[in-house]
Amino acid sequence: MAVETETIREGRVSGALVKQIARKIFLEDWLMKLVALAVTFALWLGVTGLSTPTTTRLTGVPLTLRFSSNTEVTNSPIQEVDIVITGDKRRVNQINKNDLIVSVDLTDVGAGDRVIQLTPETVSLALPTGVKLDEIQPNRIAIRLEPVEEKEVEVQVQTSGSVAEGSEIYGQASVPAKVRVRGPAGFIRSLSTVSTEDIDISGRSADFTSRQIPLILSNPKATVLETSTVDVGFRIGEKRMERIFLLPAGDGKRATVVLFGPRSLLLGVQASDLKIITPEESGTEPTLELPPSLQGSVEIRKLDAGR
């Protein structure tokens, strides 16, 4: 009987304890518990909202082509594509289209005309975790790959304007005189010269040098190796002319001589200033002896010793 009474007493205590715990859980501090429940619900909503999938189309994303150093794309393929991406809505909304670049690896593609497929598997695009690339439009592009070659060509000097009245250009030379050019084979094989930018010679009457003159290539895919500029030297002097002289050549013969040089210098020359050296005197073909004042300035363009 005593044992039974003790058991009943323990049961009553346990029941009272359960009621006390239930009261604390459901009735006491109910406002704090309600706030905690609201916070928990907000966190749950945020997490489930983050994982809500969404699909977005982005237009005008830059397209870049990566190819080996021994080939060059010589046509004009498209430079932008449209893409469709799918992923967590919040992460998709955080993407800045200006930060995206679709890249295609062509390093293993041989030279020739090719059609390249653009799929999520054949392109590279950096996207946040949880976002994937679904589609690309257009989904293929036509490209022309040419092998790259090198060639040494002469520098062609280009000028603008005119030298001073009564003057002319005696000669011009660039340093270096030749440069090495690298570019698509079709362009390089047809290239014979590379031009300088125009050099203004307006009013010039004496020698001068223009330094660091840029070289110009009509093909943007081609480049000049080692140097992209040259120095150009000009020899400028008095306008030149030809003058004919008839000179005695021995044995009653007369020689016809044509000289070319500065006008004022030739107009001051007399036939007596010139002397024909006959074969009897030289042991070879007839030659013309110029006075020291003409040497280095006058060119002998013709010497006909006659008969």
Side-chain angles (χ1 to χ4, degrees):
M1 189 65 156
V3 173
E4 182 178 351
T5 302
E6 184 67 26
T7 301
I8 293 172
R9 185 181 296 112
E10 289 178 355
R12 289 175 178 175
V13 171
S14 298
L17 182 60
V18 169
K19 289 180 180 179
Q20 184 179 1
I21 293 174
R23 178 181 294 275
K24 284 185 175 294
I25 293 175
F26 294 104
L27 298 179
E28 295 182 8
D29 298 327
W30 64 270
L31 182 59
M32 183 179 297
K33 292 182 175 65
L34 184 61
V35 171
L37 180 62
V39 171
T40 302
F41 178 75
L43 290 175
W44 174 84
L45 186 62
V47 171
T48 56
L50 177 64
S51 60
T52 301
T54 184
T55 299
T56 301
R57 174 180 290 271
L58 300 176
T59 61
V61 178
L63 173 68
T64 64
L65 306 177
R66 293 183 288 113
F67 39 87
S68 73
S69 59
N70 295 322
T71 58
E72 184 70 64
V73 175
T74 55
N75 65 331
S76 300
I78 61 171
Q79 298 182 342
E80 293 182 345
V81 293
D82 298 342
I83 63 173
V84 176
I85 57 176
T86 299
D88 298 337
K89 182 177 181 180
R90 190 172 300 176
R91 290 179 178 173
V92 169
N93 291 339
Q94 290 174 347
I95 294 175
N96 185 349
K97 187 185 75 172
N98 296 329
D99 296 334
L100 298 179
I101 297 178
V102 176
S103 178
V104 183
D105 187 357
L106 303 178
T107 54
D108 294 330
V109 178
D113 292 325
R114 300 284 185 265
V115 175
I116 306 300
Q117 299 293 327
L118 301 181
T119 68
E121 295 73 31
T122 60
V123 305
S124 298
L125 176 63
L127 291 172
T129 303
V131 180
K132 67 174 183 175
L133 175 63
D134 285 338
E135 184 183 348
I136 306 174
Q137 288 295 334
N139 58 13
R140 61 180 184 175
I141 57 173
I143 65 169
R144 179 179 298 112
L145 281 172
E146 285 192 38
V148 171
E149 295 183 358
E150 295 181 10
K151 182 180 181 181
E152 189 175 64
V153 296
E154 293 184 354
V155 173
Q156 185 177 55
V157 177
Q158 298 288 342
T159 62
S160 62
S162 302
V163 296
E165 183 73 22
S167 299
E168 68 173 76
I169 297 175
Y170 289 1
Q172 57 195 32
S174 71
V175 180
K178 294 183 178 181
V179 294
R180 196 159 192 84
V181 181
R182 186 175 192 272
F187 173 73
I188 294 298
R189 291 170 186 173
S190 64
L191 189 66
S192 58
T193 62
V194 58
S195 300
T196 66
E197 284 190 352
D198 284 352
I199 301 173
D200 188 9
I201 59 173
S202 299
R204 296 282 190 172
S205 60
D207 298 352
F208 74 99
T209 299
S210 289
R211 302 192 181 279
Q212 300 297 297
I213 305 301
L215 297 172
I216 300 174
L217 284 171
S218 59
N219 190 326
K221 302 287 187 180
T223 57
V224 179
L225 303 178
E226 299 178 359
T227 180
S228 60
T229 63
V230 295
D231 295 340
V232 181
F234 291 86
R235 290 180 55 244
I236 298 178
E238 182 185 2
K239 189 177 289 291
R240 293 171 293 183
M241 61 173 288
E242 285 186 348
R243 187 177 174 192
I244 301 174
F245 296 87
L246 294 176
L247 305 176
D251 296 332
K253 297 180 181 178
R254 296 179 67 80
T256 301
V257 173
V258 178
L259 300 182
F260 178 73
R263 180 181 179 85
S264 62
L265 189 59
L266 286 186
L267 290 178
V269 175
Q270 304 295 324
S272 58
D273 298 328
L274 307 174
K275 180 181 179 182
I276 296 292
I277 306 299
T278 63
E280 291 79 10
E281 297 173 304
S282 64
T284 58
E285 294 293 321
T287 59
L288 177 66
E289 184 177 86
L290 295 174
S293 61
L294 301 184
Q295 293 178 10
S297 300
V298 171
E299 172 190 343
I300 303 172
R301 287 202 161 173
K302 180 179 180 181
L303 172 57
D304 185 354
R307 295 185 181 278

